[in-house]
Amino acid sequence: MRKRFPAVFLVVCSWYAVPLGAQTPCPSLSVVVNTPEDELMLAVNGAEKPEDQIAALEKFAQAHADSKFLPCVYEYLTAVNVKLNNFDKAVEWGEKDVAANYGDLNLTINLLKAYVSSGKAGDAAFDLITKAPDQIKAESNPSRPAKATDEEWQKMQQELAEQSKEERAFMEYAFFQLLPRVTDAGKRLQYLDAFMKAYPDTTNAAQVNFQYYIAYAMSNNPAKADEYGEKAIAADPNNVEYLDTVANDYATRMVNLDKAAGYAKKLLELAPNMKEPDGISDEQFRTARNNQTGLAHATLGYVAYLKGQKTHRVGPAIPEYKTAVELLSDPTLQARTFYYLGYAYEVISPPNHRLAAEALTRAASISSPWQGQAQQLLAKVKSAM
């Protein structure tokens, strides 16, 4: 009955705004009084609406295509478009700066905001993230102002250190938001390796290990996937996403069944105390939690089935499957679990053809990869009734 089913990653995502201190646009560029650049900045700073700022900036860019101030114009256009949620335009302007070999921390942050919000996860975005630590270091170590007192200088250094910490946290946040959108396993591994080289002291080791686990699972390297799955759980043993995903993967692959059952049981113990993340509705949270607990019950059912199939003692699997189908809302997971439930009714001694047919009928009615297999088994069950 085995059908290889890829690990399903059920994530409760919380989109949050990383608090970032004020950034300095175009720190390497200056404006001379009574020049077109000066007039532009007066217009931008005096504009009442962001749309007016964009109009002034675009007009300048068209009229002064050879201005050395264009990188700053593009940077402002990137930032203002992010403010207006015009993320595609923000990416367009930001990438003009990058293509011209211009870059500073303010541009990097706004361009990454645009990449994250538009879902554009490619080499350009990850290149910004890996280069950011050097930018942060360079911009957080200014020369001491000549007239600054010791107290003022100490306060300035403390504020810069805190801002650098926030900036680094944003870079890591952007990385973990963008990486799941990369569909190529090889690229994921490439980005992870580059990230660890740039952020060797990351505080998100568990998340890094979990992402390595996913990437290796996608690349059909189960040995490396298992290694990093275990590392992720060891680093964050109460993470329900890690427990659920690794347990399901083990059970589906028919390996480490005791661990699979242990992880699923631990998730069910943790589930009642799961806290609702910021940024999602109560209904979204309940759905995500039900899917996670439902998958855990399905895992326990499959483990019980695998351990009892040779002797036809698969009774303990049935209540787990029945609980799972009541909780799961994902169509593919529902269909898979109904299929396994029907199969269990057929394997149990004596077989219960009626209940098997009912479960398989439900599986066959759901559009999923399991539909055809459920229809075939259903026909055999009906012929035996």
Side-chain angles (χ1 to χ4, degrees), residues 148-266:
T149 65
D150 289 345
E151 183 179 353
E152 290 170 339
W153 177 234
Q154 183 179 9
K155 182 180 179 182
M156 186 184 301
Q157 289 180 310
Q158 290 173 344
E159 290 173 349
L160 286 170
E162 185 60 32
Q163 181 170 309
S164 296
K165 183 179 179 181
E166 293 172 357
E167 290 161 351
R168 183 187 174 97
F170 172 76
M171 299 303 164
E172 297 199 29
Y173 161 78
F175 178 80
F176 290 117
Q177 288 294 319
L178 290 168
L179 190 66
R181 303 173 192 179
V182 178
T183 57
D184 182 88
K187 277 289 187 182
R188 282 203 186 200
L189 291 169
Q190 175 187 324
Y191 295 147
L192 281 161
D193 289 344
F195 176 84
M196 287 306 299
K197 186 176 180 180
Y199 300 84
D201 55 346
T202 177
T203 58
N204 293 305
Q207 179 72 333
V208 170
N209 287 327
F210 186 66
Q211 292 301 328
Y212 267 115
Y213 159 78
I214 294 174
Y216 280 119
M218 289 171 62
S219 60
N220 294 318
N221 189 335
K224 294 295 288 186
D226 292 351
E227 175 189 341
Y228 279 97
E230 291 296 333
K231 284 183 177 181
I233 292 174
D236 190 359
N238 292 332
N239 188 300
V240 294
E241 180 187 359
Y242 304 170
L243 292 167
D244 217 13
T245 308
V246 174
N248 172 68
D249 190 36
Y250 281 161
T252 303
R253 289 165 41 218
M254 303 184 197
V255 299
N256 301 327
L257 296 183
D258 289 337
K259 278 190 175 181
Y263 291 157
K265 289 176 181 177
K266 185 170 184 179

Side-chain angles (χ1 to χ4, degrees), residues 51-196:
E51 292 83 356
D52 295 335
Q53 293 178 316
I54 288 177
L57 290 160
E58 290 183 343
K59 181 179 179 181
F60 180 92
Q62 292 174 355
H64 303 278
D66 58 347
S67 172
K68 294 181 179 180
F69 196 65
L70 275 183
C72 197
V73 173
Y74 296 157
E75 181 168 335
Y76 271 99
L77 281 167
T78 303
V80 178
N81 276 290
V82 166
K83 184 177 181 180
L84 290 173
N85 296 331
N86 295 333
F87 301 117
D88 288 342
K89 291 297 292 184
V91 168
E92 177 185 335
W93 288 113
E95 288 185 343
K96 282 180 179 287
D97 256 351
V98 175
N101 295 318
Y102 178 81
D104 60 47
L105 200 51
N106 183 66
L107 174 66
T108 295
I109 288 171
N110 280 302
L111 187 48
L112 281 173
K113 286 179 180 178
Y115 283 135
V116 169
S117 297
S118 64
K120 295 181 178 180
D123 289 347
F126 290 101
D127 190 50
L128 287 178
I129 293 170
T130 55
K131 290 179 178 178
D134 289 337
Q135 285 184 324
I136 294 171
K137 183 178 180 180
E139 295 190 24
S140 63
N141 289 286
S143 300
R144 175 173 175 166
K147 296 183 179 181
T149 65
D150 289 345
E151 183 179 353
E152 290 170 339
W153 177 234
Q154 183 179 9
K155 182 180 179 182
M156 186 184 301
Q157 289 180 310
Q158 290 173 344
E159 290 173 349
L160 286 170
E162 185 60 32
Q163 181 170 309
S164 296
K165 183 179 179 181
E166 293 172 357
E167 290 161 351
R168 183 187 174 97
F170 172 76
M171 299 303 164
E172 297 199 29
Y173 161 78
F175 178 80
F176 290 117
Q177 288 294 319
L178 290 168
L179 190 66
R181 303 173 192 179
V182 178
T183 57
D184 182 88
K187 277 289 187 182
R188 282 203 186 200
L189 291 169
Q190 175 187 324
Y191 295 147
L192 281 161
D193 289 344
F195 176 84
M196 287 306 299

Side-chain angles (χ1 to χ4, degrees), residues 368-379:
S368 79
W370 295 83
Q371 192 170 39
Q373 193 169 345
Q375 291 170 343
Q376 293 175 8
L377 183 56
L378 178 60

